[in-house]
Amino acid sequence: MKEAVTLTDRRLQQIFREAFENDKLALTDSLSPENLPEWDSLGHVKLIMGCEEEFGVKFTIEETVESTSAGKLKAVLAAKGVGR
């Protein structure tokens, strides 16, 4: 059975598309710098800033560093109350 796509997932997918300038990018939890060549340090900063702006949260340095995949980023956002 396919998992339901939440509003948070749709918003996060749009942030990823904008950060990495790829309108066709499909968000999966395994998405990471290892399988997305555009995910460099500048793209990571754009991604974190996009999440902060969209969801009204602030990331600590530790949270920024540990957000090394879409799944981990979603976990950090969930810990901040995003998507509840």
Side-chain angles (χ1 to χ4, degrees), residues 13 16 25-32 35 69-71 74:
Q13 178 168 276
F16 267 82
L25 190 138
L27 184 67
T28 64
D29 285 352
S30 63
L31 197 59
S32 71
N35 55 35
S69 71
K74 286 167 66 174

Side-chain angles (χ1 to χ4, degrees), residues 3 11 22 36 43 47 52 79:
E3 211 175 291
R11 291 166 67 192
N22 180 342
L36 181 63
L47 182 61
E52 287 182 337

Side-chain angles (χ1 to χ4, degrees), residues 35-80:
N35 55 35
L36 181 63
E38 301 87 22
W39 192 330
D40 57 12
S41 57
L42 179 59
H44 191 75
V45 169
K46 288 178 173 179
L47 182 61
I48 297 300
M49 289 176 61
C51 287
E52 287 182 337
E53 184 177 315
E54 178 69 22
F55 299 114
V57 297
K58 285 289 181 193
F59 283 71
T60 65
I61 297 295
E62 293 82 13
E63 290 166 337
T64 300
V65 171
E66 70 186 38
S67 297
T68 56
S69 71
K72 290 179 181 178
L73 179 60
K74 286 167 66 174
V76 169
L77 288 169
K80 293 182 171 299

